[in-house]
Amino acid sequence: MTSAQWLLIVLLAIAAYGVRLAGLVGGRAISANPRLKPFLDDLPGCLVVGLVAASLAGEPAVTWAAALVALGVAILTNNVVVTMVIGLAAIILGQQLSVY
């Protein structure tokens, strides 16, 4: 390997660990701020909603319908396992019935 390639590897390693260190230091500083606590408490839910919304983009109507069924079950039961089972059943049933 050339010296340019080794330099690139070293710089990328420094950058990767620098990002981790910045996240650790920044996370501690943010969590110590009491005004930001409500935002940090809601962050995991926002990330899940963002991931689900991104995965639904461009999907057929049956997938959206199953997602709405799963959302309703999640609101009613507040149980992750029940929500997953009924959501999966909804999408399988919707695909079998070819409801678009």
Side-chain angles (χ1 to χ4, degrees):
M1 289 182 36
T2 66
S3 59
Q5 291 171 329
W6 280 109
L7 179 63
L8 178 64
I9 290 170
V10 169
L11 289 176
L12 288 173
I14 291 170
Y17 285 108
V19 167
R20 290 180 182 199
L21 180 63
L24 180 65
V25 172
R28 285 185 180 168
I30 290 172
S31 64
N33 188 338
R35 292 185 304 175
L36 295 177
K37 182 160 177 35
F39 298 110
L40 292 176
D41 290 342
D42 292 336
L43 185 61
C46 292
L47 293 174
V48 169
V49 168
L51 292 171
V52 170
S55 69
L56 284 174
E59 291 296 321
V62 66
T63 306
W64 282 86
L68 287 174
V69 168
L71 177 63
V73 171
I75 290 170
L76 292 174
T77 66
N78 199 26
N79 188 316
V80 175
V81 175
V82 172
T83 301
M84 289 177 10
V85 168
I86 293 180
L88 182 63
I91 196 163
I92 290 171
L93 182 65
Q95 288 173 346
Q96 292 298 320
L97 296 175
S98 297
V99 178
Y100 287 108

Coordinates of all heavy atoms in Angstrom, one line a residue:
M1 N 0.8 -1.2 0.0 CA 0.0 0.0 0.0 C 0.9 1.2 0.0 O 2.0 1.2 0.6 CB -0.9 0.0 1.2 CG -2.0 -1.1 1.1 SD -3.2 -1.2 2.4 CE -3.5 0.4 3.0
T2 N 0.4 2.3 -0.6 CA 1.1 3.5 -0.7 C 1.0 4.3 0.6 O 0.1 4.1 1.4 CB 0.7 4.3 -1.9 OG1 -0.7 4.8 -1.6 CG2 0.8 3.5 -3.2
S3 N 1.8 5.3 0.7 CA 1.8 6.1 1.9 C 0.5 7.0 1.9 O -0.1 7.3 3.0 CB 3.0 7.0 2.0 OG 3.1 7.9 0.9
A4 N 0.0 7.3 0.7 CA -1.3 8.1 0.7 C -2.4 7.2 1.2 O -3.3 7.8 1.9 CB -1.5 8.5 -0.8
Q5 N -2.4 6.0 0.9 CA -3.5 5.1 1.4 C -3.4 4.9 2.9 O -4.4 4.9 3.6 CB -3.4 3.7 0.7 CG -3.8 3.8 -0.8 CD -3.5 2.5 -1.5 OE1 -2.5 1.8 -1.2 NE2 -4.2 2.2 -2.6
W6 N -2.2 4.8 3.4 CA -2.1 4.7 4.9 C -2.5 5.9 5.6 O -3.1 5.9 6.6 CB -0.6 4.3 5.2 CG -0.3 2.9 5.1 CD1 0.5 2.3 4.1 CD2 -0.8 1.8 5.9 NE1 0.5 1.0 4.3 CE2 -0.3 0.6 5.3 CE3 -1.6 1.7 7.0 CZ2 -0.5 -0.6 5.9 CZ3 -1.9 0.5 7.5 CH2 -1.4 -0.7 7.0
L7 N -2.1 7.1 5.0 CA -2.6 8.4 5.5 C -4.1 8.5 5.5 O -4.7 8.9 6.5 CB -1.9 9.5 4.7 CG -2.3 10.9 5.2 CD1 -1.8 11.2 6.6 CD2 -1.8 11.9 4.2
L8 N -4.7 8.0 4.5 CA -6.2 8.1 4.4 C -6.8 7.2 5.5 O -7.7 7.6 6.2 CB -6.7 7.6 3.0 CG -8.2 7.6 2.9 CD1 -8.8 8.9 3.0 CD2 -8.5 7.0 1.5
I9 N -6.2 6.0 5.7 CA -6.8 5.1 6.7 C -6.6 5.7 8.1 O -7.5 5.7 8.9 CB -6.0 3.7 6.6 CG1 -6.4 3.0 5.4 CG2 -6.3 2.9 7.9 CD1 -5.6 1.8 5.1
V10 N -5.5 6.3 8.4 CA -5.2 6.9 9.7 C -6.2 8.1 9.9 O -6.8 8.2 11.0 CB -3.7 7.3 9.8 CG1 -3.5 8.2 11.1 CG2 -2.8 6.1 9.9
L11 N -6.3 8.9 8.9 CA -7.2 10.1 9.0 C -8.7 9.6 9.2 O -9.4 10.3 10.0 CB -7.1 11.0 7.8 CG -5.8 11.8 7.7 CD1 -5.7 12.5 6.4 CD2 -5.6 12.7 8.9
L12 N -9.1 8.6 8.5 CA -10.5 8.1 8.7 C -10.7 7.5 10.1 O -11.7 7.7 10.7 CB -10.8 7.1 7.6 CG -11.0 7.7 6.2 CD1 -11.2 6.6 5.2 CD2 -12.2 8.7 6.2
A13 N -9.7 6.8 10.6 CA -9.8 6.3 11.9 C -9.8 7.4 13.0 O -10.7 7.3 13.9 CB -8.6 5.4 12.2
I14 N -9.0 8.4 12.8 CA -9.1 9.6 13.7 C -10.4 10.2 13.6 O -11.0 10.6 14.7 CB -7.9 10.6 13.4 CG1 -6.6 9.9 13.8 CG2 -8.2 11.9 14.2 CD1 -5.4 10.7 13.3
A15 N -11.0 10.4 12.4 CA -12.3 11.0 12.3 C -13.4 10.2 12.9 O -14.3 10.7 13.6 CB -12.6 11.3 10.8
A16 N -13.3 8.9 12.7 CA -14.3 8.0 13.3 C -14.3 8.1 14.8 O -15.4 8.2 15.5 CB -14.1 6.5 12.8
Y17 N -13.2 8.0 15.4 CA -13.1 8.1 16.9 C -13.4 9.5 17.4 O -13.9 9.7 18.5 CB -11.8 7.5 17.4 CG -11.7 6.0 17.3 CD1 -11.0 5.4 16.4 CD2 -12.5 5.3 18.2 CE1 -10.9 4.0 16.3 CE2 -12.5 3.9 18.1 CZ -11.7 3.3 17.2 OH -11.7 1.9 17.1
G18 N -13.1 10.5 16.6 CA -13.4 11.9 16.9 C -14.9 12.1 17.0 O -15.4 12.8 17.9
V19 N -15.6 11.5 16.0 CA -17.1 11.6 16.1 C -17.7 10.9 17.3 O -18.6 11.4 17.9 CB -17.7 11.0 14.8 CG1 -19.2 10.8 14.9 CG2 -17.3 11.9 13.6
R20 N -17.1 9.8 17.6 CA -17.6 9.0 18.8 C -17.3 9.9 20.1 O -18.2 10.0 21.0 CB -16.9 7.7 18.9 CG -17.4 6.7 17.9 CD -16.7 5.4 18.0 NE -17.2 4.5 17.0 CZ -17.0 3.2 17.1 NH1 -16.5 2.6 18.1 NH2 -17.5 2.4 16.1
L21 N -16.1 10.4 20.2 CA -15.8 11.2 21.3 C -16.7 12.5 21.4 O -17.2 12.8 22.5 CB -14.3 11.6 21.3 CG -13.8 12.5 22.5 CD1 -13.9 11.7 23.8 CD2 -12.4 12.9 22.2
A22 N -16.9 13.1 20.3 CA -17.8 14.3 20.3 C -19.2 13.9 20.7 O -19.8 14.7 21.5 CB -17.8 14.9 18.9
G23 N -19.7 12.8 20.3 CA -21.0 12.3 20.7 C -21.1 12.0 22.2 O -22.0 12.4 22.9
L24 N -20.0 11.4 22.7 CA -20.0 11.1 24.1 C -19.9 12.4 25.0 O -20.7 12.6 25.9 CB -18.8 10.3 24.5 CG -18.6 9.9 25.9 CD1 -19.7 9.0 26.4 CD2 -17.2 9.2 26.1
V25 N -19.0 13.3 24.6 CA -18.9 14.6 25.4 C -20.2 15.4 25.2 O -20.7 16.0 26.2 CB -17.6 15.3 24.9 CG1 -17.6 16.7 25.5 CG2 -16.4 14.5 25.3
G26 N -20.6 15.5 24.0 CA -21.8 16.3 23.7 C -23.1 15.7 24.4 O -23.9 16.5 24.9
G27 N -23.2 14.4 24.3 CA -24.3 13.8 25.0 C -24.4 14.0 26.5 O -25.4 14.2 27.0
R28 N -23.2 14.0 27.1 CA -23.2 14.3 28.5 C -23.6 15.7 28.8 O -24.3 16.0 29.8 CB -21.8 14.0 29.1 CG -21.5 12.5 29.2 CD -20.2 12.2 29.9 NE -19.9 10.8 30.0 CZ -18.8 10.3 30.3 NH1 -17.8 11.1 30.5 NH2 -18.6 9.0 30.4
A29 N -23.1 16.6 28.0 CA -23.4 18.0 28.2 C -24.9 18.3 28.0 O -25.5 19.0 28.7 CB -22.5 18.9 27.3
I30 N -25.4 17.7 27.0 CA -26.9 17.9 26.7 C -27.7 17.3 27.8 O -28.7 17.9 28.2 CB -27.2 17.3 25.3 CG1 -26.6 18.2 24.2 CG2 -28.7 17.3 25.1 CD1 -26.7 17.6 22.8
S31 N -27.4 16.1 28.2 CA -28.2 15.4 29.2 C -28.1 16.1 30.6 O -29.0 16.0 31.4 CB -27.8 13.9 29.4 OG -26.5 13.8 29.8
A32 N -27.1 16.9 30.8 CA -26.9 17.6 32.1 C -27.8 18.9 32.1 O -28.0 19.5 33.1 CB -25.5 18.0 32.3
N33 N -28.3 19.3 30.9 CA -29.2 20.5 30.8 C -30.6 20.1 31.1 O -31.2 19.4 30.3 CB -29.0 21.1 29.4 CG -29.7 22.4 29.3 OD1 -30.6 22.8 30.1 ND2 -29.2 23.2 28.4
P34 N -31.2 20.6 32.2 CA -32.6 20.2 32.5 C -33.6 20.7 31.5 O -34.7 20.1 31.4 CB -32.8 20.8 33.9 CG -31.8 21.9 34.0 CD -30.6 21.5 33.2
R35 N -33.3 21.8 30.8 CA -34.3 22.3 29.8 C -34.4 21.4 28.6 O -35.4 21.4 27.9 CB -33.9 23.7 29.3 CG -34.0 24.7 30.4 CD -33.8 26.1 29.9 NE -32.5 26.2 29.3 CZ -32.0 27.2 28.7 NH1 -32.7 28.3 28.6 NH2 -30.8 27.2 28.2
L36 N -33.4 20.6 28.3 CA -33.4 19.7 27.1 C -33.9 18.3 27.5 O -34.1 17.5 26.6 CB -32.0 19.6 26.6 CG -31.4 20.9 26.0 CD1 -30.0 20.6 25.5 CD2 -32.2 21.4 24.8
K37 N -34.1 18.0 28.7 CA -34.6 16.7 29.1 C -35.9 16.3 28.4 O -36.0 15.1 27.9 CB -34.8 16.6 30.6 CG -35.2 15.2 31.1 CD -34.9 15.0 32.5 CE -35.3 13.6 33.0 NZ -35.3 12.5 32.2
P38 N -36.9 17.1 28.3 CA -38.1 16.7 27.6 C -37.8 16.3 26.1 O -38.4 15.3 25.6 CB -39.0 17.9 27.7 CG -38.5 18.7 28.8 CD -37.1 18.4 28.9
F39 N -36.9 17.0 25.5 CA -36.6 16.6 24.1 C -35.9 15.3 24.0 O -36.1 14.5 23.1 CB -35.8 17.7 23.5 CG -36.5 19.1 23.4 CD1 -36.0 20.1 24.2 CD2 -37.5 19.2 22.6 CE1 -36.7 21.3 24.1 CE2 -38.2 20.5 22.5 CZ -37.8 21.5 23.3
L40 N -35.0 15.1 25.0 CA -34.3 13.8 25.0 C -35.2 12.6 25.3 O -35.0 11.5 24.8 CB -33.1 13.9 26.0 CG -32.0 14.8 25.6 CD1 -30.9 14.9 26.7 CD2 -31.3 14.4 24.3
D41 N -36.2 12.9 26.1 CA -37.1 11.8 26.4 C -38.0 11.4 25.2 O -38.4 10.2 25.1 CB -38.1 12.2 27.6 CG -37.4 12.4 28.9 OD1 -36.3 11.8 29.0 OD2 -37.9 13.0 29.8
D42 N -38.2 12.4 24.3 CA -39.0 12.1 23.1 C -38.2 11.6 21.9 O -38.8 11.2 20.9 CB -39.8 13.3 22.7 CG -40.9 13.7 23.7 OD1 -41.3 12.8 24.5 OD2 -41.3 14.9 23.8
L43 N -36.9 11.7 22.0 CA -36.0 11.4 20.9 C -36.2 10.0 20.4 O -36.3 9.8 19.2 CB -34.6 11.7 21.3 CG -33.6 11.5 20.1 CD1 -33.9 12.5 19.0 CD2 -32.2 11.8 20.7
P44 N -36.2 8.9 21.2 CA -36.4 7.6 20.7 C -37.7 7.4 19.9 O -37.6 6.8 18.8 CB -36.4 6.7 21.9 CG -35.7 7.5 23.0 CD -36.0 8.9 22.7
G45 N -38.8 7.9 20.4 CA -40.0 7.8 19.6 C -39.9 8.5 18.3 O -40.4 8.0 17.3
C46 N -39.3 9.7 18.3 CA -39.2 10.4 17.0 C -38.3 9.7 16.0 O -38.6 9.7 14.8 CB -38.5 11.8 17.3 SG -39.6 12.9 18.2
L47 N -37.3 9.0 16.5 CA -36.4 8.2 15.6 C -37.2 7.0 15.0 O -37.1 6.8 13.8 CB -35.2 7.7 16.3 CG -34.2 8.8 16.8 CD1 -33.1 8.2 17.6 CD2 -33.6 9.5 15.6
V48 N -38.0 6.4 15.8 CA -38.8 5.3 15.3 C -39.8 5.7 14.3 O -40.0 5.1 13.2 CB -39.5 4.5 16.5 CG1 -40.5 3.5 16.0 CG2 -38.5 3.8 17.3
V49 N -40.5 6.9 14.6 CA -41.5 7.4 13.6 C -40.8 7.8 12.3 O -41.3 7.5 11.2 CB -42.2 8.6 14.2 CG1 -43.0 9.4 13.2 CG2 -43.1 8.2 15.3
G50 N -39.6 8.4 12.4 CA -38.8 8.7 11.2 C -38.4 7.5 10.4 O -38.5 7.5 9.1
L51 N -38.0 6.4 11.0 CA -37.7 5.2 10.3 C -38.9 4.5 9.7 O -38.8 4.1 8.5 CB -37.0 4.2 11.3 CG -35.6 4.6 11.8 CD1 -35.1 3.7 12.9 CD2 -34.6 4.6 10.6
V52 N -40.0 4.5 10.4 CA -41.2 3.9 9.8 C -41.7 4.7 8.7 O -42.1 4.2 7.6 CB -42.3 3.7 10.9 CG1 -43.6 3.3 10.3 CG2 -41.8 2.7 12.0
A53 N -41.7 6.0 8.8 CA -42.2 6.9 7.7 C -41.3 6.8 6.5 O -41.9 6.7 5.4 CB -42.3 8.4 8.2
A54 N -40.0 6.7 6.7 CA -39.1 6.5 5.5 C -39.3 5.2 4.9 O -39.3 5.1 3.6 CB -37.7 6.7 6.0
S55 N -39.6 4.1 5.6 CA -39.8 2.8 5.0 C -41.2 2.7 4.3 O -41.4 1.9 3.4 CB -39.7 1.7 6.1 OG -40.8 1.8 7.0
L56 N -42.2 3.5 4.7 CA -43.5 3.5 4.1 C -43.5 4.3 2.8 O -44.4 4.1 2.0 CB -44.5 4.1 5.0 CG -45.0 3.1 6.1 CD1 -45.9 3.9 7.1 CD2 -45.6 1.9 5.6
A57 N -42.5 5.2 2.6 CA -42.5 6.0 1.3 C -42.5 5.1 0.1 O -41.6 4.2 0.0 CB -41.3 6.9 1.4
G58 N -43.4 5.3 -0.8 CA -43.4 4.5 -2.0 C -44.0 3.1 -1.9 O -44.0 2.4 -2.9
E59 N -44.5 2.8 -0.8 CA -45.2 1.5 -0.6 C -46.6 1.5 -1.1 O -47.2 2.5 -1.1 CB -45.1 1.0 0.9 CG -43.7 0.7 1.3 CD -43.1 -0.4 0.6 OE1 -43.7 -1.4 0.4 OE2 -41.9 -0.4 0.4
P60 N -47.2 0.3 -1.4 CA -48.6 0.3 -1.8 C -49.5 0.6 -0.7 O -49.1 0.6 0.5 CB -48.7 -1.1 -2.4 CG -47.6 -1.9 -1.8 CD -46.5 -1.0 -1.5
A61 N -50.8 0.8 -1.0 CA -51.8 1.1 -0.1 C -52.0 0.1 1.0 O -52.3 0.4 2.1 CB -53.1 1.4 -0.8
V62 N -51.8 -1.2 0.6 CA -52.0 -2.3 1.6 C -51.0 -2.2 2.8 O -51.3 -2.4 3.9 CB -51.9 -3.7 1.0 CG1 -50.5 -4.0 0.4 CG2 -52.4 -4.7 1.9
T63 N -49.8 -1.7 2.5 CA -48.8 -1.5 3.5 C -49.2 -0.3 4.4 O -49.0 -0.4 5.6 CB -47.4 -1.2 2.9 OG1 -47.1 -2.3 1.9 CG2 -46.3 -1.2 3.9
W64 N -49.7 0.7 3.8 CA -50.1 1.9 4.6 C -51.3 1.5 5.5 O -51.4 1.9 6.7 CB -50.5 3.0 3.7 CG -49.3 3.8 3.2 CD1 -48.6 3.5 2.1 CD2 -48.8 4.9 3.8 NE1 -47.6 4.4 2.0 CE2 -47.7 5.3 3.0 CE3 -49.0 5.7 4.9 CZ2 -46.8 6.4 3.2 CZ3 -48.2 6.8 5.2 CH2 -47.2 7.1 4.4
A65 N -52.2 0.6 5.0 CA -53.4 0.2 5.7 C -52.9 -0.7 6.9 O -53.4 -0.5 8.0 CB -54.3 -0.6 4.9
A66 N -52.0 -1.5 6.7 CA -51.4 -2.4 7.8 C -50.7 -1.5 8.8 O -50.8 -1.8 10.0 CB -50.5 -3.4 7.2
A67 N -50.0 -0.5 8.4 CA -49.4 0.4 9.3 C -50.4 1.2 10.2 O -50.2 1.4 11.4 CB -48.5 1.4 8.6
L68 N -51.5 1.5 9.6 CA -52.6 2.2 10.3 C -53.2 1.3 11.3 O -53.5 1.7 12.5 CB -53.6 2.8 9.4 CG -53.2 4.0 8.6 CD1 -54.3 4.4 7.6 CD2 -52.9 5.2 9.6
V69 N -53.4 0.0 10.9 CA -53.9 -1.0 11.9 C -52.9 -1.2 13.0 O -53.4 -1.2 14.2 CB -54.2 -2.3 11.1 CG1 -54.4 -3.5 12.1 CG2 -55.3 -2.2 10.1
A70 N -51.7 -1.3 12.7 CA -50.7 -1.5 13.8 C -50.6 -0.2 14.7 O -50.5 -0.4 15.9 CB -49.3 -1.7 13.1
L71 N -50.7 0.9 14.1 CA -50.8 2.2 14.9 C -52.0 2.1 15.9 O -51.8 2.5 17.1 CB -50.8 3.4 14.0 CG -50.9 4.7 14.8 CD1 -49.7 5.0 15.6 CD2 -51.2 5.9 13.8
G72 N -53.1 1.8 15.4 CA -54.3 1.7 16.2 C -54.1 0.7 17.4 O -54.5 0.9 18.5
V73 N -53.6 -0.5 17.0 CA -53.3 -1.5 18.1 C -52.3 -1.0 19.1 O -52.5 -1.2 20.3 CB -52.9 -2.8 17.4 CG1 -52.4 -3.8 18.4 CG2 -54.0 -3.4 16.5
A74 N -51.3 -0.3 18.6 CA -50.3 0.2 19.5 C -50.9 1.2 20.5 O -50.6 1.2 21.7 CB -49.1 0.9 18.7
I75 N -51.8 2.1 20.0 CA -52.4 3.1 20.8 C -53.3 2.4 21.8 O -53.4 2.8 23.0 CB -53.2 4.1 20.0 CG1 -52.2 5.0 19.2 CG2 -54.1 5.0 20.8 CD1 -52.8 5.9 18.2
L76 N -54.1 1.4 21.4 CA -55.1 0.7 22.3 C -54.4 -0.2 23.3 O -54.9 -0.2 24.5 CB -56.1 -0.1 21.5 CG -57.0 0.7 20.6 CD1 -57.9 -0.2 19.7 CD2 -57.9 1.6 21.5
T77 N -53.4 -0.9 22.9 CA -52.8 -1.9 23.8 C -51.6 -1.5 24.5 O -51.2 -2.0 25.6 CB -52.6 -3.2 23.1 OG1 -51.5 -3.0 22.1 CG2 -53.8 -3.8 22.4
N78 N -50.8 -0.6 23.9 CA -49.5 -0.3 24.4 C -48.6 -1.5 24.6 O -47.8 -1.6 25.6 CB -49.6 0.6 25.7 CG -48.3 1.4 26.0 OD1 -47.6 1.7 25.1 ND2 -48.1 1.6 27.2
N79 N -48.7 -2.4 23.7 CA -48.0 -3.7 23.8 C -47.3 -3.9 22.5 O -47.9 -4.1 21.4 CB -48.9 -4.9 24.1 CG -48.2 -6.1 24.4 OD1 -47.2 -6.5 23.7 ND2 -48.6 -6.8 25.4
V80 N -45.9 -4.0 22.5 CA -45.2 -4.1 21.3 C -45.4 -5.4 20.5 O -45.6 -5.5 19.3 CB -43.7 -3.9 21.6 CG1 -42.8 -4.1 20.3 CG2 -43.4 -2.5 22.1
V81 N -45.4 -6.5 21.3 CA -45.6 -7.8 20.7 C -46.9 -8.0 20.0 O -47.1 -8.4 18.9 CB -45.4 -8.9 21.7 CG1 -45.6 -10.3 21.2 CG2 -43.9 -8.8 22.3
V82 N -48.0 -7.5 20.7 CA -49.3 -7.6 20.1 C -49.4 -6.7 18.9 O -50.0 -7.1 17.9 CB -50.4 -7.2 21.2 CG1 -51.8 -7.0 20.6 CG2 -50.4 -8.2 22.3
T83 N -48.8 -5.6 18.9 CA -48.8 -4.7 17.8 C -48.1 -5.3 16.6 O -48.6 -5.2 15.5 CB -48.1 -3.3 18.1 OG1 -48.8 -2.7 19.2 CG2 -48.1 -2.4 17.0
M84 N -47.0 -5.9 16.8 CA -46.2 -6.6 15.7 C -47.0 -7.7 15.1 O -47.1 -7.9 13.9 CB -44.9 -7.0 16.2 CG -43.9 -5.9 16.5 SD -42.3 -6.3 17.2 CE -42.1 -8.0 17.1
V85 N -47.6 -8.6 16.0 CA -48.4 -9.7 15.5 C -49.6 -9.3 14.7 O -49.8 -9.8 13.6 CB -48.8 -10.6 16.7 CG1 -49.8 -11.7 16.2 CG2 -47.6 -11.3 17.3
I86 N -50.3 -8.3 15.2 CA -51.5 -7.9 14.5 C -51.2 -7.1 13.2 O -51.8 -7.2 12.2 CB -52.5 -7.1 15.4 CG1 -53.0 -8.1 16.5 CG2 -53.6 -6.4 14.6 CD1 -53.9 -7.5 17.5
G87 N -50.1 -6.3 13.3 CA -49.6 -5.6 12.1 C -49.2 -6.5 11.0 O -49.5 -6.4 9.8
L88 N -48.5 -7.6 11.4 CA -48.0 -8.6 10.4 C -49.2 -9.3 9.8 O -49.3 -9.6 8.6 CB -47.1 -9.6 11.1 CG -46.5 -10.7 10.2 CD1 -45.6 -10.0 9.1 CD2 -45.7 -11.6 11.0
A89 N -50.2 -9.7 10.7 CA -51.4 -10.3 10.2 C -52.2 -9.4 9.3 O -52.7 -9.9 8.3 CB -52.3 -10.7 11.4
A90 N -52.2 -8.1 9.6 CA -52.9 -7.2 8.7 C -52.3 -7.1 7.3 O -53.0 -7.1 6.3 CB -53.0 -5.8 9.4
I91 N -51.0 -7.1 7.3 CA -50.3 -7.0 5.9 C -50.5 -8.3 5.2 O -50.7 -8.3 4.0 CB -48.9 -6.5 6.0 CG1 -48.4 -6.0 4.7 CG2 -48.0 -7.6 6.6 CD1 -47.2 -5.2 4.7
I92 N -50.4 -9.4 5.9 CA -50.5 -10.7 5.2 C -51.9 -10.8 4.6 O -52.2 -11.2 3.5 CB -50.1 -11.9 6.1 CG1 -48.6 -11.8 6.3 CG2 -50.6 -13.2 5.5 CD1 -48.2 -12.8 7.4
L93 N -52.9 -10.5 5.5 CA -54.3 -10.6 5.1 C -54.6 -9.6 3.9 O -55.2 -10.0 2.9 CB -55.2 -10.3 6.2 CG -56.7 -10.4 6.0 CD1 -57.1 -11.8 5.6 CD2 -57.5 -9.9 7.2
G94 N -54.1 -8.4 4.0 CA -54.3 -7.4 2.9 C -53.6 -7.9 1.6 O -54.2 -7.7 0.5
Q95 N -52.5 -8.5 1.7 CA -51.8 -9.0 0.5 C -52.6 -10.2 -0.1 O -52.7 -10.3 -1.3 CB -50.4 -9.4 0.7 CG -49.5 -8.2 1.0 CD -48.1 -8.6 1.4 OE1 -47.8 -9.7 1.8 NE2 -47.2 -7.6 1.4
Q96 N -53.1 -11.1 0.8 CA -53.9 -12.2 0.3 C -55.2 -11.8 -0.4 O -55.6 -12.4 -1.3 CB -54.2 -13.2 1.4 CG -52.9 -13.9 2.0 CD -52.2 -14.7 0.9 OE1 -52.9 -15.4 0.2 NE2 -50.9 -14.6 0.9
L97 N -55.8 -10.7 0.2 CA -57.0 -10.2 -0.4 C -56.8 -9.3 -1.6 O -57.7 -8.9 -2.2 CB -57.8 -9.5 0.6 CG -58.3 -10.4 1.8 CD1 -59.0 -9.5 2.9 CD2 -59.2 -11.5 1.3
S98 N -55.5 -9.0 -1.8 CA -55.1 -8.1 -2.9 C -55.9 -6.7 -2.8 O -56.4 -6.2 -3.8 CB -55.3 -8.7 -4.3 OG -54.5 -9.8 -4.4
V99 N -55.9 -6.2 -1.6 CA -56.6 -4.9 -1.4 C -55.5 -3.8 -1.7 O -54.6 -3.6 -0.9 CB -57.1 -4.8 0.0 CG1 -57.8 -3.4 0.2 CG2 -58.1 -5.9 0.3
Y100 N -55.7 -3.1 -2.8 CA -54.8 -1.9 -3.1 C -55.5 -0.7 -3.1 O -56.3 -0.3 -3.8 CB -54.0 -2.2 -4.4 CG -53.0 -3.2 -4.2 CD1 -53.1 -4.5 -4.8 CD2 -51.8 -3.0 -3.5 CE1 -52.2 -5.5 -4.7 CE2 -50.8 -4.0 -3.3 CZ -51.0 -5.2 -3.9 OH -50.1 -6.2 -3.8

